[in-house]
Amino acid sequence: MTTAPPAASRGRALRSRSDSRLGDSIFFNLSRGSGILLLVIMAAIAGFLAYRSGIALSKNEGNFLTTFEWNPDAPEPVFGIAVLTFGTIVSALIAMVIAVPVAVGIALFISHYAPRRIAQPFAYLVDLLAAVPSIVYGLWGVLFLVPHMDGLTAWMDQYLGWTFVFDQTQAGVTPRNLFTVGILLAIMVLPIITAVSREVFRQVPRMHEEAALALGATRWEMVRTAVLPFGRPGIISASMLGLGRALGETIAVAIVLSANSILSLHVLDPGGGTFAQNIALKFNEAQPFGRDALMASGLVLFVITLLVNGAARLIIARRKEYSGANA
């Protein structure tokens, strides 16, 4: 025969359940409100840029997508984003080609190869690089990297010039070009990709690694069959995060790149430009209409960033079988 719990105990249980439900409701509404607020802010930014862009494009005498020249403050405004689009994409791609393999290798070394007494200080050093301001990278790039790029650019022109892309048509000039900018951006995004990839590799279930080793796999085979498949969505996310930094980098690129309105497929020749660098250099001296034109280029960069992040989400969604939630 069972006895009913005392009335005081039932009251405490009911109050505890009520408090728990109230806390869940508050947390749910705060989370939903934060998500809605983020969407409102993004829509406000897009709307503002679209409004200012419409003012500029309505008076543009050139084709906004194909014109090389950028002169919106002329009596007959002519401006386009062909050079800026090419420079932004090419420099970011060069940075990602260099940074992603190196970052993944460093992350694997820290998480699976290095002894703990070495891995911890090395990880702290990599994280510290992510906190270095952009202006410091820019000064280092123009004072150290650029003067030491002559030998590399000459070597690439000699042995890879047949590819046309690495054919240097202006020999002897200071290598303040898209290739140098790409290397600088690779150094800047390297800590971000490394830090995220390292944390993803640490989340690999220990049982998966031990199972691979128990079946006779070497350490590299274990990494290739157990660690990399599990961490693939994380690597993609880290790469897209680094790509966003590379696409929007401003001060460092403005200091290093010798900007002009010439679109050259030879990445070792000086010149070119990026969206962020063009906005940073010309915003203060621009007239009101010129600033509207810069807003139009900013809208294009905004759309490119959204497309990049959307593509990353689609890639990750197609590889859900490798996600940690299904491990």
Side-chain angles (χ1 to χ4, degrees):
M1 180 176 180
T2 59
T3 58
S9 298
R10 291 198 303 269
R12 284 195 297 270
L14 290 175
R15 285 195 299 271
S16 177
R17 190 177 300 114
S18 176
D19 293 342
S20 177
R21 290 176 179 174
L22 178 61
D24 290 342
S25 177
I26 293 175
F27 179 76
F28 172 76
N29 289 321
L30 287 176
S31 301
R32 182 171 59 181
S34 299
I36 295 174
L37 178 62
L38 177 61
L39 294 177
V40 170
I41 293 174
M42 295 289 290
I45 294 174
F48 172 76
L49 292 176
Y51 171 73
R52 298 291 294 269
S53 301
I55 297 175
L57 295 178
S58 63
K59 300 179 181 179
N60 186 13
E61 297 294 333
N63 188 302
F64 182 65
L65 298 178
T66 60
T67 300
F68 292 180
E69 183 181 357
W70 187 271
N71 192 11
D73 291 323
E76 295 184 356
V78 178
F79 58 92
I81 60 170
V83 175
L84 305 180
T85 303
F86 177 80
T88 300
I89 294 177
V90 169
S91 61
L93 287 179
I94 293 173
M96 299 308 295
V97 169
I98 297 173
V100 172
V102 177
V104 172
I106 295 174
L108 286 173
F109 172 76
I110 294 174
S111 61
H112 286 81
Y113 285 90
R116 182 175 297 273
R117 65 179 183 276
I118 298 177
Q120 289 294 341
F122 199 68
Y124 293 149
L125 178 61
V126 172
D127 293 340
L128 183 62
L129 291 176
V132 176
S134 299
I135 185 67
V136 176
Y137 279 112
L139 293 175
W140 175 83
V142 73
L143 296 177
F144 179 83
L145 181 61
V146 171
H148 290 81
M149 286 292 295
D150 292 319
L152 178 60
T153 55
W155 182 88
M156 296 185 70
D157 177 48
Q158 180 179 356
Y159 294 100
L160 299 177
W162 57 271
T163 62
F164 183 80
V165 175
F166 296 110
D167 181 21
Q168 189 176 19
T169 62
Q170 303 180 31
V173 298
T174 304
R176 300 179 63 176
N177 48 45
L178 293 177
F179 184 73
T180 303
V181 169
I183 294 178
L184 180 63
L185 291 176
I187 297 172
M188 296 179 68
V189 304
L190 184 66
I192 300 174
I193 304 175
T194 301
V196 177
S197 300
R198 184 185 72 236
E199 295 304 319
V200 171
F201 293 152
R202 285 179 174 174
Q203 302 302 318
V204 178
R206 187 65 180 174
M207 294 178 60
H208 290 190
E209 300 178 5
E210 293 177 350
L213 294 173
L215 291 174
T218 63
R219 180 174 295 188
W220 162 242
E221 290 172 339
M222 179 270 293
V223 169
R224 183 171 56 85
T225 58
V227 177
L228 291 180
F230 181 91
R232 190 170 299 151
I235 296 173
I236 295 173
S237 299
S239 301
M240 294 302 105
L241 185 63
L243 179 59
R245 170 79 184 272
L247 289 172
E249 181 52 46
T250 305
I251 298 300
V253 178
I255 294 176
V256 172
L257 183 62
S258 178
N260 58 33
S261 298
I262 300 175
L263 193 155
S264 175
L265 298 180
H266 306 285
V267 298
L268 298 183
D269 287 341
T274 67
F275 287 109
Q277 166 263 334
N278 186 62
I279 294 173
L281 291 181
K282 297 184 178 180
F283 190 84
N284 285 336
E285 63 185 23
Q287 300 299 320
F289 183 79
R291 294 186 178 183
D292 290 338
L294 293 174
M295 294 290 181
S297 66
L299 177 61
V300 176
L301 180 60
F302 183 79
V303 172
I304 292 176
T305 304
L306 290 181
L307 292 176
V308 168
N309 285 276
R313 296 303 305 170
L314 290 176
I315 295 173
I316 294 174
R318 293 177 58 186
R319 298 183 178 274
K320 288 182 178 179
E321 67 273 16
Y322 293 118
S323 67
N326 298 326

